[in-house]
Amino acid sequence: MERCDLGERRRGRIWTRRAGAAAPRGVIVNIIHSVQGYHSKTVHFLNVAFNHSGDSFLAGDRQGNIYLFDLNGNRFNLVQRTMQACTALAFNLRRKTEFLVALADYSVKCFDAGTQELVSWMRGHESSVSSISVHGSGKYAITTSTDTAQLWDLDTFERIRKLNVRQSVGIQKVFFLALSNTILSCFKDNSVFAWEFDTLRCKYQLPTPVEGSVLIYKVFAVTRDGQTLVAGGKSNHLHLWSLELKRLIRIIQMPEKVRAVRHLEFLPDRFDGGSNQVLGVLSQDNIMRFINIETCKLLFDIGSPEEGISTAAISPNGRYIASVMKNGSLNLYSVQALTQEGNKNELPGGLNKKRLQALLKGFGEYPAKTLSCLAHWSAIFAETPYMPLLAFPFVKLFQNNQLICFEVVATVVVNFCQHWFEYFPNPPVNVLSMMENVLAHHDKELLQHLVKYKVTSQYFFHHRNNVDINVVIKEAYRLMEATPLDIHPQRMLDDFTPLTKGQYPVFNKYPMFIVDYRAQEREKIRQDEMEYLRERQLAHESEAKAREQKAEDEVWYRKQKLLQEAKEQRQKILLEEEEKLAEQRQRLAAVKRELKVKELQLLDASRRRFLNYQQDQLQMELKRLDNEIARKASMREQETAAAVQDVELQWMELESQKQLFEQHIIKDQEAVTKEVKEEVEAHRRKADLEDQRVQRLIEIDREEIQKARTVAEENLAKAEQKHIDTDWKLQAQRRLRRDDQDREKSYREIVKLLHDNRVKEAELLKAMRETEEKQWEDVAHSKAQLEEEQKAAAAADGQRKQFLEDKTNDALELAEKLQREDGSFDRLLRQRAMNHPRHMGKIRKRLEDIKNQSPKLTKVDFSHNESIRLATDAFLDGGTDSYLETLSKEGEVDFLSSVEAQYIKDNARESYYAQESPGADGAAAPKQNDAGSLPSGTYFPTISDNSESALLHTWITAEKPYLKEKSTATVYFQTEKNSNIRDIIRRYIHKTTQVLAIVMDVFTDTEILCDLLEAANKRMVFVYLLLDHGSIDLFSEMCDKLQIPEDLFKNISVRSVTGEVYCAKSGRKFSGQIQEKFLISDWRYVLSGSYSFTWLCGQVHRNLLSKFTGQVVELFDEEFRHLYALSKPVRGPKTPPRSLPFLFSRSWVPPRSLPYSDEGSANTLSDPFSSLSAGSTHQSKQTPRTLIFNSNFTPQSPLHRVNSFHSYVSFTPPPSQNAIQPNYYQPHYMADNSTVPYNNMNVYRPIRLRQEEPNRTGLNSSWRCLHKANLFA
C-alpha cells in the first residue's frame, strides 16, 4: 500500500506508481497530512466530496485546509485555507471549478478551485451545517442543520426558502432526489415528506413504520433513479422504501455485530440504469459493508476495527471510494479491486473473464435479453419485423443461457442471412432472384405456373405457410448438390465464419440512412402522439372547466334574479314606509310648532319678571352701598377726631416732660439717640405695614365694587338694558372716586399726626436719658409711664389690625357670596386681567406670540434678559419661593429645570467678605455683603488674588510643531468597531514623548491611568491633568483602590478647576463644572469630543472623538494654559522649578495670593449681562487705550479688577507699588524676583489677539472689554 504525506507542500503527486486492480485490500493510496515541529502531529481529515465525473475529489482537514485530488492527472493541490474546520463539502456545482464548504462558524462559503478565490459567503444557520445537497442541474443547493434547512440559489447566492421546525422535532437531513425535481425532508420523529421543488408544495408523506422495536432514522440513501429510499439508525435493520409506491417494501437485517448504522451510500453501476443494487453500510464498528439489496448478500467490506472508517464518499462513476479513517488519514479504494476480491470465481457457466470483458467492451453492458442485445449490436434488427420469429426457435432452445442464444442467432445472421438487409425496408430482391433461378433450373413448370398466376417470390415471403421442416431441410441439401455452379448461391455468398474473438464483429450491411430515418420518424411520431395526448387532455380539462363555469354562471344568474326580485319587493315596502313616515313628520312638526310658541310666550314672561327683579336688586344694592360709604366716612371722621385729641393730649404731656427733663438730655444724648433711631425705624415699619393693610382693604373694597359692577353689566346686557347699567356704573364710579379721595386725605392726616407723635416721643426719650443718672426713681416712674403709653399704643395697633382684618374678611365673604350667586367670578378676574395687562417677560412674550400663531416675523433678540437675572438672584438668596415670586412679578416663565435648580442649591456659597464680625458692644455686626451696604448699586464677583499656578515644563519656550503644519480634522464615532475611541486615546498617549496635557470632567478608567503612569515614570513625559472639582473625589477613590504611592506622581501634575462663577447682588455665588474634554500630545495632536475617561464611556455610552492637527492646536494650547492658571493642586508637584524662562523682563514683580477663601478663581465672572441691572452705573462707551507691554508693567489691584467687570476702564498701568496704600483689598507683593512662566495675566492671549485682529484695540462691545479686563486683572 502506497502512502502519500502532504506535509507542508501545496501541490505534488499523489502516488509514484499506481497499484490499479492489484491494489492490496483495494487501497490505491493512503494520504496523511503531518506537521513537523517541536511536537510533530497529524492533521485529521474530516470530509471528502467527489465531482460530477468522479475523477477528482476534495478533502478538508481540521485546520481548514481544502485539498483537490486529481486522480486522472495524479496531482493534488491546496486550493484554500479557511482557518476553520469544515463540517460538509459539495463539489458537484454547475460551474465545475466551484465548490461549497460548510465551516465551524455555521456559515457556508463558495470558493473557486481554479482561481482559489472566495466567490460568495452564505450565512443564516445558527448551528453547524451537517450536509449539503446540490440539485442535478447544479443551480441550487440545500444546507441542513439540526434546527433548519435553507434553499439557496447558486447563481445569485441568495436564500430562496427556509425550513424551520420545532426544537423538539429536529431535522435529520434534507436533500434533492436524483433525476427529479423533488426535495425529501427527513425529521427526527421518523416523518419523511416529499416536496415539489418548483412550488414547494408537499407531494406526499411516507407512512410511519410500525414494528416491535421502533427504528429511529438517522441516515438515509437514495438510488440514482430516485425510486428507492434506504433508512437506518440505532439498529441492525435497514428499511427499504419504494418512493413510487410510497410504502415500505423490505426490511434488511444486518449481522448481529452491527448495532447502529452511521452512514449509507449506494455504489453506482454503469449497467443498472440507475436502480442501484449495491449499498454501502458504515456501522458503529467503523467497518463499511457493501451488500446487494436484492439478494441481501454481502459482497465485500472495507475498514477494520484497527483501521476504522469515520466517513466515506463514493465517486459517481463507481470506480473509487474515498474514506476518512479514525486516525485522520485518507484512504482511496479501487472498486474494481474490491469486486475482484469479492467475486473471484462467481461468473455464469461457460463464460470466462476474457469473454466477459470482450462482451462488456462490445456492448457497454451485460445483455439481459436476446432481442435487446441484437438491437444494441446493430440498429437494423430493431427495425426488422421478422426478427422475433427468426430468433424465437433459438430462444426456446437456449432459454437457460441467453448469452449462447444471442451468439447463435448472431452467427446465423452473419452467415446464413447474407445480403438479406441490403434493400431494406424492401424484401431481399437479390436473394429471392437467386432462389428464382434455382427454381427455374430444377422445376420450370412450377415456375411457369407461378408466373402464370402472378405468384412471385415476394408472395411467399409475405404469406408464410406451414411446412414440414424436415422435408424442407432434405430438399435444401438436394438442391445444393444438384444446382450448377453458375447459378449456385454459393458463388455469391461468403463462406461460414464464426464470431470474432475479443469483440463482436460490426454488422453494417444495410442502408444505414434508411434505418436512421425510420428511427427519427418513429421518434417524431411518438412525440406527436405525446403532444396529441397532452392537447387532448388539455381539451378535456378545458371542456370540464367550461361545463363547470357554465353551471356556476347559471346558478349565479338564478341568484341574481332572486336578489333582484327581493330588492324590488323591499323597495316597494320602503316607499310605503317612507310615505307613512312623512305623514307622521308633518303631524310632529305641527305639534312642535305649537309647543315652541307656548315656550316663547313663557320665556318672554319669565324674562320680564327677571328684569323687574334685577332692577329692584340693583336699586337695593345702590342704597346699601350709599349707606356703607356714609358709615365708613363717619367712622373715619370719628377716628380722625379721636386721633387729633390723643395727639394734642400727648403733645401737652410731652411738652411738660420736656421742660422737666431738659437738663438731663445732653449727657446721655448719644445712647438715647441710637435707641430712639431703632424705635423710630420699628415704628416706621409698623406704619408701612399698616398702610399696606389699609391699601389692601381699599383694593378689596374696590374689587368688590368692581365685581358687583361687572355682574350688573353682564346681567343688564342680557336684558338689553345697557343704558340703565351705564348710568348706574357712572354713579358708582363717581362715588368710589370721591370716597377714595376722602380716604386718601384722611390717611395723609393720620400719617402726619403719627409722625408728629413719634417725633415728640423721641424728644421725650432723649430727655429721659439725660436725667437717668441723677433721678433713678423719676426715670423708673417715667419708664412705667412710657410702658403704659406703649401698651396703649399696642392696644390701638391691635384694634387697627383687628379692624383691617374684619374688613378683609367681610370683603372675602362678599366675594364668595357673589361667586355663589353667579358663576362669573373667574370671568370677571380674566376681564380685569385683560383690562389691566401685567408685565410679560421676553420668553413668555415669545411663547404667547407663537401660541397665537401670529404670521408676523419677529427679529431675533440677543439682548440681556434682566428678569432672568433677578429671578436667579432671588433663587440664590431666598430659595424656591422667592424665585417663583420674582418670576410671577416679572411675568417670566420658569426657566430652570429640576436638575439645574438642585445643582444651584447644592453649590451655593457665601462671598469672601460675607462673614459676620462682632461689633464694638459684642453684638453681631450686619453682613457687609448686604445690598444696602455695598458702595455701588450693583453686585460684584468674588474678590480673590490667588496667584495662578505655574506650568512645570518649559511650556512657552518649547518648539510648537503645530505652527508649521496645516490644520486637519478627523472624526471618530463609537459605532465604528474597527476604530475604538478608547484604543485611539490610549494609542496617542503611548505616542507622546514630551508633554501630555489633559482636561477631563471625570477620570475613573484604570487602564488610562496606567498609561499615564507609564508615560510619566518610564518615558519621562510631563503630564498635566486638569479635572473638574466635582469629580476629584472619584479620582482619589480610584487611586486609593489601586494603592498608588505619591512618588509615582513626580512627573504628573493633577489639579482641579471649576467652571464660571455666578455671583448674585448679595454676594452669594455658585461655580459651574468643567465640561471641556481634550488631550494635547506634544503640541502636535489634539483629541477632543464627548468621551470621558470612564469604563462606561469605553464600553456602552455612545461618544464621538475629533482629532485636530496643525495650527488649530494653538487654540487648545491657549485654552489649556488659561484653565491651568485657574486650577488648584491636588496631587503631584505644586510649585514650579525656579529656573524657567519667562516672556517678560525680571523687573516685573508678580503678586502674592491672599488666603484661599472659596472655589471661585481670580478670573471668576458672574452673569456677563449683569452690568445692565438697575443699580449699576453704566458709563458711556469709549474706546479703551491700547495696552503697551513694557518692563514697568504692574498688575492691577483686586479692586480695579472688581470694578472692571461692570464698567469700561482704561487699560493703563496702575500706579507703582509704593504709591498703593494698603487696605482691605490690597494684595501683598513678593520680595523676590522669581519668574513664573504663566500667571493670571494670560500673556499668550493678548499677543494672539493682536496677531489675528490688529483692530482689536478699538473694542467697543461690553463682552470684549470684560474679556480684556479679565485677562489683565
Side-chain angles (χ1 to χ4, degrees):
M1 178 178 64
E2 185 167 355
R3 173 169 293 184
C4 175
D5 188 358
L6 304 181
E8 300 297 332
R9 296 181 296 168
R10 297 183 62 89
R11 58 185 59 84
R13 298 175 63 183
I14 304 175
W15 55 73
T16 56
R17 183 174 179 273
R18 182 167 181 172
R25 292 183 297 172
V27 180
I28 300 175
V29 64
N30 174 252
I31 303 172
I32 63 172
H33 182 196
S34 62
V35 178
Q36 301 297 329
Y38 183 75
H39 294 289
S40 300
K41 62 178 181 179
T42 300
V43 182
H44 286 216
F45 287 97
L46 298 178
N47 290 280
V48 291
F50 281 92
N51 62 353
H52 284 285
S53 62
D55 297 330
S56 301
F57 69 92
L58 291 172
D61 60 18
R62 186 164 293 170
Q63 291 184 351
N65 300 316
I66 308 296
Y67 289 92
L68 174 61
F69 296 90
D70 184 4
L71 303 180
N72 289 340
N74 188 22
R75 304 291 295 176
F76 74 88
N77 187 19
L78 177 62
V79 295
Q80 194 58 237
R81 292 181 184 268
T82 62
M83 309 306 294
Q84 299 183 66
C86 65
T87 58
L89 286 170
F91 195 25
N92 52 347
L93 277 62
R94 182 169 63 88
R95 292 177 286 273
K96 299 186 183 302
T97 59
E98 294 181 358
F99 63 92
L100 297 177
V101 54
L103 301 176
D105 62 353
Y106 312 153
S107 65
V108 180
K109 293 184 179 180
C110 179
F111 295 98
D112 192 309
T115 62
Q116 299 185 5
E117 295 180 353
L118 176 65
V119 178
S120 180
W121 193 348
M122 298 174 285
R123 297 179 178 178
H125 286 278
E126 296 180 357
S127 59
S128 61
V129 177
S130 58
S131 66
I132 301 175
S133 176
V134 181
H135 189 261
S137 63
K139 295 182 179 180
Y140 305 97
I142 295 177
T143 56
T144 307
S145 59
T146 57
D147 56 349
T148 182
Q150 301 185 15
L151 177 61
W152 304 89
D153 186 344
L154 297 183
D155 287 337
T156 61
F157 295 99
E158 295 179 353
R159 186 172 63 192
I160 302 174
R161 288 294 182 90
K162 181 179 181 181
L163 174 63
N164 292 319
V165 295
R166 294 192 305 271
Q167 188 175 3
S168 59
V169 177
I171 301 175
Q172 290 288 7
K173 190 174 182 181
V174 180
F175 53 93
F176 288 104
L177 289 183
L179 304 178
S180 66
N181 282 336
T182 304
I183 299 175
L184 213 62
S185 59
C186 309
F187 301 95
K188 292 183 179 180
D189 58 354
N190 280 8
S191 59
V192 179
F193 293 85
W195 310 85
E196 187 68 36
F197 170 67
D198 297 331
T199 61
L200 292 179
R201 179 179 57 84
C202 182
K203 297 173 63 176
Y204 57 85
Q205 178 185 2
L206 297 182
T208 304
V210 179
E211 56 177 313
S213 60
V214 178
L215 172 61
I216 304 301
Y217 293 160
K218 295 291 185 180
V219 289
F220 306 88
V222 180
T223 57
R224 283 198 304 166
D225 58 0
Q227 299 297 319
T228 305
L229 169 68
V230 180
K234 291 185 178 181
S235 173
N236 64 344
H237 289 177
L238 298 177
H239 287 187
L240 268 69
W241 291 85
S242 174
L243 299 180
E244 184 178 5
L245 303 176
K246 303 175 185 61
R247 63 184 180 87
L248 183 66
I249 58 175
R250 186 176 301 168
I251 298 178
I252 301 176
Q253 184 176 3
M254 298 293 292
E256 293 182 357
K257 52 186 175 182
V258 176
R259 298 188 303 273
V261 178
R262 293 168 47 193
H263 182 68
L264 292 174
E265 190 165 358
F266 278 99
L267 179 63
D269 192 347
R270 295 177 58 186
F271 312 121
D272 57 8
S275 59
N276 308 126
Q277 302 297 317
V278 181
L279 175 66
V281 182
L282 177 62
S283 56
Q284 91 287 344
D285 58 358
N286 303 323
I287 298 176
M288 192 168 188
R289 300 172 176 85
F290 289 84
I291 63 173
N292 189 305
I293 60 175
E294 293 294 335
T295 63
C296 299
K297 184 178 180 182
L298 177 63
L299 303 180
F300 59 89
D301 57 20
I302 58 176
S304 64
E306 295 79 14
E307 297 181 359
I309 297 175
S310 297
T311 184
I314 303 176
S315 63
N317 56 16
R319 297 175 60 187
Y320 304 104
I321 301 174
S323 63
V324 178
M325 312 304 290
K326 278 293 184 179
N327 58 8
S329 64
L330 187 66
N331 278 1
L332 183 64
Y333 294 90
S334 171
V335 176
Q336 181 182 0
L338 293 172
T339 54
Q340 285 180 2
E341 289 182 2
N343 304 310
K344 291 183 179 178
N345 298 313
E346 296 183 4
L347 291 175
L351 185 64
N352 56 18
K353 294 180 182 179
K354 294 183 179 180
R355 184 60 179 159
L356 178 61
Q357 291 176 1
L359 183 64
L360 294 175
K361 203 168 192 181
F363 284 93
E365 62 183 11
Y366 187 81
K369 296 181 181 179
T370 304
L371 293 178
S372 299
C373 294
L374 292 172
H376 276 283
W377 180 39
S378 181
I380 185 63
F381 302 126
E383 303 294 335
T384 305
Y386 53 85
M387 186 55 64
L389 297 176
L390 178 63
F392 179 74
F394 303 101
V395 174
K396 289 278 289 183
L397 181 62
F398 305 105
Q399 57 182 354
N400 294 328
N401 198 327
Q402 296 180 0
L403 179 61
I404 296 176
C405 178
F406 163 73
E407 291 185 348
V408 169
V409 174
T411 303
V412 170
V413 170
V414 171
N415 291 280
F416 302 103
C417 297
Q418 298 181 26
H419 307 293
W420 278 31
F421 308 99
E422 293 179 356
Y423 292 93
F424 183 84
N426 299 318
V429 179
N430 50 354
V431 177
L432 294 176
S433 299
M434 286 190 297
M435 294 175 61
E436 190 174 351
N437 292 334
V438 171
L439 182 61
H441 179 269
H442 292 285
D443 196 350
K444 294 183 179 179
E445 295 178 358
L446 177 60
L447 178 61
Q448 292 175 358
H449 176 73
L450 293 177
V451 173
K452 179 180 179 180
Y453 290 100
K454 298 181 179 179
V455 177
T456 62
S457 58
Q458 298 183 21
Y459 177 82
F460 286 98
F461 185 82
H462 290 290
H463 300 81
R464 297 174 297 274
N465 296 313
N466 295 326
V467 294
D468 188 355
I469 192 64
N470 294 324
V471 176
V472 172
I473 292 175
K474 289 180 181 180
E475 185 65 24
Y477 279 111
R478 187 187 68 79
L479 293 176
M480 286 183 63
E481 293 175 358
T483 303
L485 293 177
D486 56 345
I487 60 173
H488 198 286
Q490 198 172 22
R491 184 172 61 87
M492 299 181 62
L493 298 177
D494 298 332
D495 294 335
F496 178 84
T497 57
L499 296 179
T500 59
K501 295 183 179 181
Q503 63 181 5
Y504 294 113
V506 178
F507 188 84
N508 54 6
K509 297 178 181 180
Y510 61 91
M512 300 180 64
F513 70 94
I514 295 178
V515 176
D516 295 339
Y517 175 75
R518 287 170 63 90
Q520 293 175 2
E521 288 296 321
R522 186 169 59 253
E523 180 65 22
K524 183 177 180 182
I525 292 171
R526 191 181 68 83
Q527 294 291 340
D528 293 342
E529 184 179 1
M530 294 292 293
E531 186 67 24
Y532 166 74
L533 293 176
R534 192 180 301 107
E535 291 178 355
R536 188 175 66 178
Q537 182 67 21
L538 292 175
H540 290 330
E541 293 177 357
S542 301
E543 185 178 359
K545 288 182 179 179
R547 286 196 298 268
E548 292 177 0
Q549 186 67 30
K550 183 177 180 182
E552 291 177 359
D553 293 343
E554 291 178 356
V555 172
W556 185 81
Y557 281 119
R558 284 197 299 270
K559 289 182 179 179
Q560 292 297 322
K561 185 177 180 181
L562 293 174
L563 290 174
Q564 188 66 25
E565 293 176 356
K567 183 177 179 182
E568 292 177 357
Q569 186 177 0
R570 298 297 189 280
Q571 286 180 352
K572 290 180 181 179
I573 296 173
L574 184 62
L575 290 174
E576 294 175 358
E577 293 295 331
E578 286 181 353
E579 292 176 357
K580 295 178 181 179
L581 184 61
E583 294 177 359
Q584 292 178 0
R585 285 178 178 173
Q586 290 178 359
R587 290 195 298 270
L588 182 61
V591 173
K592 283 184 177 180
R593 192 161 41 250
E594 293 177 0
L595 292 176
K596 195 67 177 177
V597 171
K598 292 180 180 180
E599 185 181 357
L600 290 175
Q601 292 175 357
L602 292 175
L603 288 175
D604 189 26
S606 177
R607 184 178 60 83
R608 287 196 299 270
R609 185 166 62 254
F610 179 75
L611 288 176
N612 295 332
Y613 171 76
Q614 194 175 23
Q615 189 69 23
D616 296 340
Q617 290 294 327
L618 290 174
Q619 293 295 335
M620 292 174 63
E621 185 66 22
L622 285 175
K623 291 180 181 180
R624 189 184 66 79
L625 289 175
D626 291 340
N627 295 334
E628 184 70 20
I629 291 172
R631 187 176 64 81
K632 289 183 179 180
S634 62
M635 289 178 63
R636 282 197 298 271
E637 291 177 356
Q638 293 176 4
E639 290 178 357
T640 303
V644 170
Q645 292 176 2
D646 293 340
V647 170
E648 290 178 354
L649 181 61
Q650 291 177 3
W651 183 77
M652 293 173 65
E653 291 177 354
L654 291 173
E655 190 69 26
S656 61
Q657 291 176 1
K658 179 181 178 181
Q659 293 177 1
L660 185 62
F661 299 103
E662 192 173 17
Q663 54 186 345
H664 302 291
I665 293 176
I666 298 174
K667 185 177 179 180
D668 301 327
Q669 185 176 4
E670 292 180 358
V672 175
T673 300
K674 184 177 180 181
E675 184 179 355
V676 169
K677 283 183 179 180
E678 293 177 357
E679 293 184 358
V680 168
E681 184 65 24
H683 280 286
R684 185 178 62 79
R685 287 195 292 269
K686 287 183 180 180
D688 292 340
L689 181 60
E690 291 177 359
D691 289 342
Q692 292 178 0
R693 300 191 67 174
V694 170
Q695 292 296 331
R696 177 60 182 165
L697 180 60
I698 294 171
E699 291 177 358
I700 292 173
D701 292 338
R702 186 182 294 111
E703 290 176 358
E704 293 175 0
I705 297 172
Q706 183 68 19
K707 292 174 184 178
R709 178 173 59 81
T710 306
V711 171
E713 286 178 0
E714 292 180 353
N715 294 332
L716 290 177
K718 295 178 181 178
E720 297 180 358
Q721 300 293 330
K722 291 184 179 180
H723 59 284
I724 298 174
D725 187 29
T726 305
D727 294 338
W728 179 82
K729 287 194 292 183
L730 291 174
Q731 294 175 8
Q733 187 68 26
R734 294 193 188 100
R735 293 175 183 177
L736 290 175
R737 189 179 297 112
R738 289 196 301 270
D739 181 65
D740 293 339
Q741 293 175 356
D742 296 339
R743 187 163 53 251
E744 183 180 0
K745 184 177 179 181
S746 62
Y747 275 118
R748 288 179 179 176
E749 294 176 356
I750 292 172
V751 170
K752 184 177 180 181
L753 292 174
L754 290 175
H755 182 268
D756 295 338
N757 186 19
R758 292 188 181 90
V759 171
K760 298 299 182 181
E761 289 178 354
E763 294 176 355
L764 175 61
L765 291 175
K766 290 179 182 179
M768 291 174 66
R769 292 292 182 182
E770 292 175 356
T771 59
E772 182 176 2
E773 294 182 356
K774 294 181 180 180
Q775 298 181 357
W776 288 101
E777 294 179 358
D778 295 340
V779 170
H781 180 69
S782 299
K783 285 186 177 180
Q785 291 181 354
L786 180 60
E787 290 177 358
E788 292 178 358
E789 292 176 358
Q790 289 179 350
K791 290 180 180 179
D797 292 341
Q799 291 178 0
R800 285 194 297 273
K801 291 179 181 178
Q802 186 64 33
F803 171 74
L804 294 175
E805 291 177 358
D806 294 341
K807 292 302 178 182
T808 304
N809 294 333
D810 294 340
L812 293 175
E813 291 177 0
L814 179 60
E816 294 177 358
K817 181 179 179 181
L818 292 175
Q819 187 176 7
R820 288 193 300 269
E821 292 177 355
D822 193 349
S824 60
F825 181 72
D826 294 336
R827 188 165 61 254
L828 291 173
L829 292 179
R830 289 195 298 268
Q831 184 177 358
R832 180 182 179 188
M834 292 174 63
N835 294 334
H836 300 84
R838 64 175 183 175
H839 172 69
M840 293 178 63
K842 287 187 177 182
I843 303 177
R844 184 180 296 277
K845 187 175 180 181
R846 293 181 65 189
L847 287 175
E848 293 296 331
D849 185 50
I850 296 171
K851 292 178 181 178
N852 295 333
Q853 297 182 357
S854 174
K856 182 179 178 181
L857 296 177
T858 57
K859 186 177 180 181
V860 181
D861 185 8
F862 297 104
S863 62
H864 169 67
N865 193 336
E866 182 67 13
S867 299
I868 291 181
R869 187 195 66 79
L870 294 175
T872 307
D873 289 1
F875 185 78
L876 274 174
D877 297 335
T880 305
D881 296 338
S882 179
Y883 167 71
L884 296 176
E885 182 180 356
T886 305
L887 287 178
S888 176
K889 182 178 178 182
E890 294 294 326
E892 193 55 273
V893 298
D894 186 359
F895 58 89
L896 288 178
S897 65
S898 59
V899 177
E900 293 173 326
Q902 188 62 37
Y903 179 84
I904 294 175
K905 287 182 180 179
D906 296 342
N907 294 273
R909 300 290 185 272
E910 296 292 341
S911 65
Y912 173 77
Y913 53 91
Q915 306 297 328
E916 294 183 358
S917 60
D921 54 355
K927 291 184 178 181
Q928 296 300 322
N929 63 341
D930 185 44
S933 64
L934 288 174
S936 176
T938 184
Y939 57 96
F940 302 100
T942 303
I943 299 172
S944 175
D945 281 314
N946 294 342
S947 62
E948 288 70 14
S949 312
L951 298 180
L952 298 179
H953 195 65
T954 56
W955 190 284
I956 298 176
T957 59
E959 182 181 359
K960 304 299 175 62
Y962 58 74
L963 297 176
K964 304 176 182 180
E965 300 175 356
K966 293 184 179 180
S967 298
T968 62
T970 308
V971 181
Y972 305 94
F973 294 94
Q974 194 81 359
T975 54
E976 299 177 6
K977 300 303 180 184
N978 56 350
S979 57
N980 185 271
I981 291 180
R982 188 164 179 258
D983 296 342
I984 293 173
I985 294 174
R986 296 186 61 196
R987 190 177 299 116
Y988 277 94
I989 291 176
H990 283 276
K991 283 184 178 180
T992 306
T993 58
Q994 299 181 30
V995 177
L996 190 65
I998 302 174
V999 178
M1000 189 55 54
D1001 57 346
V1002 182
F1003 192 167
T1004 59
D1005 195 320
T1006 55
E1007 289 197 53
I1008 297 181
L1009 177 61
C1010 293
D1011 295 337
L1012 297 181
L1013 293 174
E1014 289 177 354
N1017 293 276
K1018 295 183 178 181
R1019 303 197 304 272
M1020 304 307 293
V1021 176
F1022 290 92
V1023 180
Y1024 304 100
L1025 179 60
L1026 301 185
L1027 299 177
D1028 181 69
H1029 69 287
S1031 63
I1032 288 296
D1033 295 339
L1034 300 177
F1035 181 79
S1036 301
E1037 178 184 353
M1038 175 182 64
C1039 294
D1040 294 341
K1041 286 181 179 179
L1042 301 179
Q1043 299 180 357
I1044 300 176
E1046 191 68 27
D1047 57 352
L1048 293 181
F1049 287 87
K1050 59 184 179 181
N1051 286 338
I1052 302 178
S1053 176
V1054 183
R1055 307 179 70 87
S1056 68
V1057 65
T1058 66
E1060 299 292 346
V1061 178
Y1062 183 95
C1063 294
K1065 188 174 181 180
S1066 61
R1068 286 179 64 82
K1069 62 182 181 178
F1070 66 92
S1071 58
Q1073 296 178 337
I1074 286 295
Q1075 295 190 350
E1076 303 179 28
K1077 309 170 190 178
F1078 61 87
L1079 179 149
I1080 305 177
S1081 173
D1082 290 341
W1083 299 292
R1084 184 179 299 275
Y1085 306 102
V1086 169
L1087 302 179
S1088 176
S1090 62
Y1091 187 87
S1092 299
F1093 286 178
T1094 64
W1095 182 87
L1096 290 176
C1097 284
Q1099 299 295 329
V1100 294
H1101 292 339
R1102 288 185 179 271
N1103 293 280
L1104 62 86
L1105 184 71
S1106 302
K1107 182 185 77 174
F1108 302 98
T1109 61
Q1111 298 179 3
V1112 71
V1113 179
E1114 180 183 6
L1115 302 176
F1116 291 92
D1117 181 11
E1118 173 187 345
E1119 179 65 15
F1120 178 79
R1121 295 170 63 188
H1122 180 64
L1123 293 176
Y1124 195 91
L1126 307 178
S1127 61
K1128 299 182 303 180
V1130 176
R1131 287 199 176 195
K1134 296 180 174 57
T1135 58
R1138 303 181 61 86
S1139 61
L1140 297 177
F1142 186 54
L1143 199 61
F1144 295 115
S1145 64
R1146 294 184 176 271
S1147 62
W1148 183 82
V1149 181
R1152 287 178 179 173
S1153 61
L1154 285 174
Y1156 175 71
S1157 62
D1158 203 356
E1159 298 174 358
S1161 64
N1163 285 20
T1164 301
L1165 274 174
S1166 63
D1167 188 353
F1169 303 103
S1170 60
S1171 62
L1172 302 177
S1173 60
S1176 63
T1177 57
H1178 194 304
Q1179 299 180 5
S1180 61
K1181 295 183 178 180
Q1182 59 184 357
T1183 304
R1185 292 189 292 272
T1186 306
L1187 177 64
I1188 303 175
F1189 292 94
N1190 55 24
S1191 61
N1192 296 324
F1193 180 78
T1194 306
Q1196 290 180 335
S1197 66
L1199 189 59
H1200 286 84
R1201 181 167 64 224
V1202 169
N1203 293 334
S1204 67
F1205 277 104
H1206 300 286
S1207 63
Y1208 292 88
V1209 297
S1210 302
F1211 295 153
T1212 56
S1216 62
Q1217 181 178 355
N1218 297 330
I1220 298 177
Q1221 298 299 327
N1223 53 30
Y1224 180 77
Y1225 299 107
Q1226 180 63 37
H1228 301 284
Y1229 294 92
M1230 298 171 59
D1232 57 355
N1233 291 331
S1234 60
T1235 58
V1236 181
Y1238 187 82
N1239 74 340
N1240 194 25
M1241 290 186 60
N1242 203 343
V1243 296
Y1244 186 77
R1245 193 170 295 192
I1247 298 175
R1248 178 172 169 269
L1249 290 176
R1250 290 208 309 274
Q1251 290 175 349
E1252 292 183 352
E1253 297 184 24
N1255 296 327
R1256 283 259 181 154
T1257 56
L1259 297 173
N1260 51 10
S1261 61
S1262 60
W1263 71 268
R1264 290 181 179 176
C1265 189
L1266 292 175
H1267 182 63
K1268 283 200 170 184
N1270 185 26
L1271 293 178
F1272 302 105

